[in-house]
Amino acid sequence: MLTLRNSILIVLAAGPLAAQQQIEIQATADTRVQGGSATVNFGGDITLWLGNPDKTIFLYFDLSAIPAGARVTEADLVLTFAADNGLGANAIEIGGVQQRWDELQLTYSNQPSVAWSGQRQTVSANGPVRWDVRAAVAGWLDGSRRNSGLALRGDGPLKGARSREFSGTSDRPKLRIRYERAATGGGAPTLDIQTELEMIPATYPDEVGYQTRLRHQGDQTVPVTIKETVPYPQHILPRAVTGSATYVEVNATGGATGTATIQYVSLSGGPTQEVVFTGSMPPGSTVTLGYDVHVHPICPANATENIHRVVEARAGSQNSVTARGSYRAACPGYQGPYIDSEPNDMDVDAGGAFEVGIRNRNPSPVVIGLFKPGTDGRTIGHRIKLSAGQFLTGQRIPAALTSGG
């Protein structure tokens, strides 16, 4: 899935840091998949088996107990191994899961993609084993990586770890995290938006993931509103959250509360939806809204059209802040070229470089332009030429690019 992140940073306020604190978080979902039972779900098992043939563990941890703005100094994944087949050691590799999954639905046949890290720990005896996951946890907390969990695999002899269903709580999968809590000073909120597409342009009709995140950096609890208009004929589709259909998924940290609704406004061209969140945010808290948009623009056959996003938020008496972004969508009958990417987290901010893997699925060469906001307020970009069918991985796009209008 290709992730383009369009962000507006209103203020960067790094206050003094308090003493380190430690927290232990148990897994909220875990299971395994195996090639020999491709359609079987093992979500209720008390043992997480790794190794041949084709066994992989998936784990998910809810980090909402960690306050917004915290700086992670240490983070370890701990698994307690208690079973094997007696055939020796196994070097277990860890990676980041790239899409959402369900503990009671996951099988080998529908397993999500994993960005394997190359980081391994050798399991040779029963007992606790640790993997350093500080980079992943820090990315989940600051929003530069999407938290879809962790995966582990090993090509060697079978090893079995306790799952979250095991009766002894101390042996269940856990994260041990040390962090420094950021002091909350005065300051305006920050707002950023992210749009996730499987193909560029988005195919007709397609489902595109929208995300909006508001961070409150003030020094007192304030009322907040977040609003985005989804112009007709685009409209929001329900997504399954904890077994029920939800149109807007709300995730809040640091004591933030509130509700999101979909309102209808009368604009030229047809009925238009408006996502509106209203609530309350203490200092240092965040609110993240997620919704899936059905994209089918009305435009000439075989062409493409820009779909624009504008999100506005207000916290307390601060002036409202706005984040803008856009992406291209295919019109009816469009035949290409299409561009896609290997699943990854791509942090496209104004100040840093990023890496991308891209593929040209058109039978002819194309020139791709990658753009992001510049630190001077202008768009900066980088162009890459891909031959027919070419896949380019690990392409590093520098922080300082050619300025554009």
Side-chain angles (χ1 to χ4, degrees):
M1 178 174 289
L2 182 60
T3 302
L4 298 179
R5 186 178 183 195
N6 309 289
S7 63
I8 291 181
L9 190 60
I10 304 302
V11 65
L12 273 174
L17 294 170
Q20 286 197 358
Q21 301 184 47
Q22 182 167 314
I23 188 171
E24 186 173 285
I25 301 174
Q26 293 199 353
T28 53
D30 63 9
T31 188
R32 81 171 192 274
V33 300
Q34 61 184 52
S37 304
T39 60
V40 177
N41 171 260
F42 298 95
D45 287 10
I46 64 172
T47 302
L48 298 168
W49 287 103
L50 277 166
N52 288 324
D54 300 325
K55 291 181 176 66
T56 302
I57 288 176
F58 289 84
L59 304 154
Y60 179 81
F61 298 88
D62 181 357
L63 304 184
S64 59
I66 300 177
R71 185 175 73 86
V72 177
T73 58
E74 296 177 30
D76 290 329
L77 168 68
V78 183
L79 295 183
T80 300
F81 286 85
D84 61 24
N85 60 6
L87 297 180
N90 193 343
I92 306 299
E93 182 181 10
I94 193 167
V97 185
Q98 301 298 291
Q99 293 95 28
R100 288 189 291 261
W101 52 277
D102 188 310
E103 179 184 54
L104 299 180
Q105 300 293 327
L106 188 65
T107 67
Y108 186 87
S109 297
N110 65 16
Q111 62 182 302
S113 301
V114 177
W116 296 106
S117 66
Q119 178 190 349
R120 293 176 171 85
Q121 289 287 5
T122 298
V123 179
S124 56
N126 290 338
V129 179
R130 292 177 171 83
W131 286 262
D132 181 357
V133 292
R134 188 187 64 81
V137 172
W140 295 342
L141 289 172
D142 66 22
S144 62
R145 298 188 185 186
R146 182 175 187 166
N147 180 11
S148 296
L150 299 166
L152 296 104
R153 66 180 180 183
D155 296 332
L158 286 178
K159 300 293 178 184
R162 302 298 194 192
S163 78
R164 76 185 191 96
E165 284 77 18
F166 184 68
S167 58
T169 57
S170 62
D171 287 346
R172 295 173 184 173
K174 60 183 72 71
L175 289 178
R176 289 177 177 163
I177 301 170
R178 293 180 66 86
Y179 64 90
E180 295 173 333
R181 182 190 295 267
T184 57
T190 63
L191 177 70
D192 68 80
I193 61 175
Q194 181 169 293
T195 306
E196 297 179 350
L197 307 101
E198 293 182 351
M199 304 286 284
I200 297 179
T203 56
Y204 181 91
D206 199 0
E207 182 178 319
V208 175
Y210 284 21
Q211 186 182 88
T212 297
R213 180 180 290 109
L214 182 69
R215 298 177 176 88
H216 174 40
Q217 299 184 143
D219 54 9
Q220 58 184 318
T221 299
V222 295
V224 298
T225 59
I226 306 171
K227 182 168 65 176
E228 176 173 14
T229 300
V230 180
Y232 179 85
Q234 280 61 248
H235 58 274
I236 299 172
L237 297 174
R239 60 170 58 171
V241 178
T242 62
S244 61
T246 301
Y247 283 87
V248 182
E249 186 176 356
V250 179
N251 290 298
T253 68
T257 59
T259 57
T261 59
I262 296 179
Q263 303 176 5
Y264 288 86
V265 295
S266 178
L267 297 178
S268 60
T272 292
Q273 292 177 313
E274 213 171 52
V275 176
V276 179
F277 173 86
T278 56
S280 175
M281 296 182 67
S285 62
T286 67
V287 169
T288 303
L289 309 180
Y291 29 102
D292 297 325
V293 175
H294 197 207
V295 178
H296 45 104
I298 299 174
C299 47
N302 302 317
T304 64
E305 181 172 278
N306 277 329
I307 305 295
H308 300 286
R309 295 187 60 192
V310 180
V311 183
E312 184 178 14
R314 180 183 294 273
S317 60
Q318 293 283 348
N319 293 331
S320 62
V321 294
T322 303
R324 302 175 185 271
S326 64
Y327 60 93
R328 294 199 68 77
C331 303
Y334 179 80
Q335 298 298 313
Y338 281 105
I339 307 299
D340 68 4
S341 82
E342 62 183 1
N344 58 19
D345 289 311
M346 184 169 30
D347 184 19
V348 187
D349 60 18
F354 63 95
E355 290 187 1
V356 60
I358 50 180
R359 187 189 311 273
N360 174 20
R361 294 195 179 275
N362 195 55
S364 58
V366 298
V367 176
I368 302 167
L370 301 174
F371 303 92
K372 65 178 183 177
T375 54
D376 59 358
R378 296 186 296 172
T379 298
I380 51 181
H382 182 75
R383 295 185 181 273
I384 300 171
K385 183 175 182 180
L386 292 181
S387 58
Q390 182 180 1
F391 177 62
L392 185 64
T393 186
Q395 174 68 32
R396 187 165 180 81
I397 311 303
L401 305 179
T402 304
S403 294

